Amino acid sequence: MNHSSEYVPLTDTDYARAERMLAPYRDRLIPTATVVPQWSGDGARFWYRSGARHILVEPASGLRRDAFDHERLAAELSQASGRAVEADDLPPGSVDFEVPDRSPDTIRFSAFDTRWEWSDETGQCLTVEDGPPPGPGEIESPDRSWVAFRRDGNVWVRSRDGKQEYALTDDAEPGWDYGGVLEAATKVKLPLLGVESLLVAAWSPDSTRLITHRIDQRELPEQVLVEAAPKGGGRPVAHHIRYPMPGDETQATMTWHVLDVRTGQNITVAGGPEVLTAPYALDRRWWTGENGEAVHVLHQSRDGRALELRRLDPGTGAMTTLITETGQTRVDPSPYLHVPPLMRVLDSGEILWWSQRDGWGHLYLYSADGEQLRQLTAGQWLVRRVLRVDEHRRQVWLLACGLNNDPYVRQICRVDLDGGGFVRITDDDLDHDAVAPPRGGDYVVDRASTVALPPRTRILGDDGQVLVELEAPDTTALEAAGWSSPERFRTTAADGRTAIYGLLWRPHGFDPARRYPVVDHTYPGPNIHRASPAFGDLFTGEAEALAALGFAVVALDGRGTPVRSKAFFDHSYGDLGMSAALDDHVAAIRELGRRHTWLDTNRVGITGHSGGGFFTARALLTHPDFYSVGVAQAGAHDFSTYLPFWVEQHHGQITAENRGALINTVHAGNLRGKLLLIDGELDDNVLPHQSMRLVDALIEADADVDMLVIPGVEHNFHGRFHYVTRRTWDYLARHLRGTEPPAYRLAPFPPMPDWAVHPSG
């Protein structure tokens, strides 16, 4: 049905306003909102970027000041380089705030393809020859004397001064190499992102050894992606990727290796090859002890239902299992897939361990030999992150979820290692996204916010006292651009009893007397949750942009998503197609429609990327009377042909009875609305054949579908995401809003600076 009579046509001005809501444009309107500390080696001080300024903080003394004289540096760099430089637009990259054998105010940085040294004391900007900084995919040693990297599948090191370079391994073969990653989801993507050779390894604290791995992918089946329009012209290029699938007997295997920079020794860790299906397993190892006396390794079984902590002797390669935990569903070491495990090996040898064994995520203390000593936290809430451990006071600082009415709000708490002593350091309705230095430092950096209030950042001491105020940004410029904060809402799941939470954005220029179409902006999990109670989130800008185009936008976390109880998370186990419970979305939007008469729940669209692309098509195919328009970006429409770990660990064994839960094609005959599939031609994560299979099924069902294949891009449409974004807007405007989109064209998105990427979890 055409509703264009209810709206004036969209204009270039509307699209320009929506464009300003996208990251990183949106972040420029509030440049001091993100504080990302760069820690000193002893944790006694840190640096961060505040808008155009570099800031130095020393928490113990309460110091906060410019890290250097920006005006003097700009003037001297202009003279030394022959290039005009402004103090509020300094070009430094790869800034090193701690330079050995130099005064504490000395920094080194890269600008104009040159390495420079600056000191406020001398007031001179000098070129230096300290060797090139580590490049993409390279790893610098703790003492900064070595850089480790990969070459032709082997691990190499070079001295930072460039005078030495040699291989630590020399027997790599195609498909059986050192320090690399699984080809699936990386082989094509990384070069497109400018990373030709990524090394995954970790230096020992004394900078003498590396812990890394060797992956054997030689027998894996291959998939082929065809690059139809290579940049250099000529014939199409075939990219071959080793890509196993769920249920395949043959999977990649790996062995751990300890490489000694001094002797060149390569120690293969005992235990033989183990199956490797999950890419994050390569990072789940830590040097422990002051000089790296041991390495602790987390091992998860192929099905995800067993988790082991092992201790490795780096001198002999001997491996000992310390802790084993099993479950009927996936056993995780943290509440969030993409954050580091909440396991800590203390200087005492004791082990801090996170587990959902009692139905919630809590901390346990084990002896160095793996004997459980006590449970440290308990209750119907969970530990979200371990901030720091004070072994002298025998205390753990942590972030907790579930202590407020909103179970997603994070609070800073403390508990004694010896049992008891649990206290809340913060006790308010703000969400606290705190971080602490990795070594030393009796403080945390607290970034407290709500969906309406930007992060107020300050340093908190042992008892929560404020040591330093850092940033307190406001939303004046953002509001002037048309932004308004979303509504944080609570409603009831489709089961009629479970509380679920989400966000609702009102359209720009909101008029309660009008009725607005609704867009479900979705990512279903189960690896992350979509709707954060904090200011901004992983999807910052996308929902705000749709609101600028006249849509009411909903983001929701249904059952089957993390950071709630184990039972809440396990809702989708065995039924991965219902992760985030599509029925919960329908129930929630209908309830919001009853609360707000300006929501037109007869016009509901949906869009999402990757898992959200699957969910978008799923919504139109299984709820055709509710969802009428969808844009599915890079959708995994057939999880039975996706990455093995994702399905085997989050869904369980694929059977004849539950296979349909993984596949959209079986519902193709139900399509009634308008569906646009957008895929990257070189997507080595969610292979484009998944969308082609859905299109084939839709053709067999004689159902209309629209499809857009973007040449030369990977899973995230790098370099062409602005085009994908504009086409998504156009489709929703035309078919859901009922108005013809303008001829406006979005500019290519500028890259996000490194300092603007903040931790999550």
Side-chain angles (χ1 to χ4, degrees), residues 654-704:
I654 300 175
T655 65
E657 290 74 24
N658 66 30
R659 189 173 185 272
L662 302 169
I663 304 170
N664 280 333
T665 57
V666 297
H667 304 288
N670 296 334
L671 183 63
R672 301 290 181 270
K674 299 292 294 186
L675 174 62
L676 171 61
L677 307 175
I678 305 180
D679 291 274
E681 172 190 57
L682 298 180
D683 188 344
D684 56 4
N685 182 342
V686 177
L687 302 178
H689 79 252
Q690 297 208 22
S691 285
M692 294 300 292
R693 291 186 181 196
L694 178 56
V695 169
D696 182 59
L698 290 168
I699 291 172
E700 285 295 311
D702 202 21
D704 294 342

Side-chain angles (χ1 to χ4, degrees), residues 554-577:
V554 173
L556 182 75
D557 292 311
R559 292 166 294 164
T561 51
V563 303
R564 298 278 295 271
S565 68
K566 176 65 170 168
F568 190 94
F569 179 63
D570 281 347
H571 177 72
S572 61
Y573 193 86
D575 188 6
L576 189 59

Side-chain angles (χ1 to χ4, degrees), residues 141 163 259 332 340 350 353 457 476 532 547 618-619 650 672-673 738:
S141 63
K163 295 180 180 179
L259 310 178
D332 283 302
E350 294 168 303
W353 183 259
T457 307
T476 302
S532 169
R618 192 81 169 188
H650 290 105
R672 301 290 181 270

Side-chain angles (χ1 to χ4, degrees), residues 346 348 350 352 365 373-376 390-396 415-422:
L346 310 184
S348 64
E350 294 168 303
L352 199 60
L365 189 67
L373 301 176
R374 63 190 65 92
Q375 183 172 349
L376 300 182
D390 187 332
E391 292 196 57
H392 177 71
R393 295 186 175 93
R394 301 285 292 172
Q395 293 174 332
V396 182
V415 69
D416 293 342
L417 283 170
D418 297 325
F422 178 83

Side-chain angles (χ1 to χ4, degrees), residues 225-276:
L225 296 177
V226 177
E227 186 176 5
K231 298 298 183 184
R235 296 173 177 170
V237 176
H239 296 270
H240 295 261
I241 307 163
R242 295 178 174 94
Y243 194 113
M245 293 183 178
D248 286 356
E249 182 177 350
T250 302
Q251 299 287 336
T253 61
M254 63 163 288
T255 50
W256 294 105
H257 291 258
V258 178
L259 310 178
D260 195 309
V261 176
R262 302 160 300 180
T263 65
Q265 187 178 18
N266 177 355
I267 297 177
T268 302
V269 175
E274 57 190 51
V275 172
L276 174 66

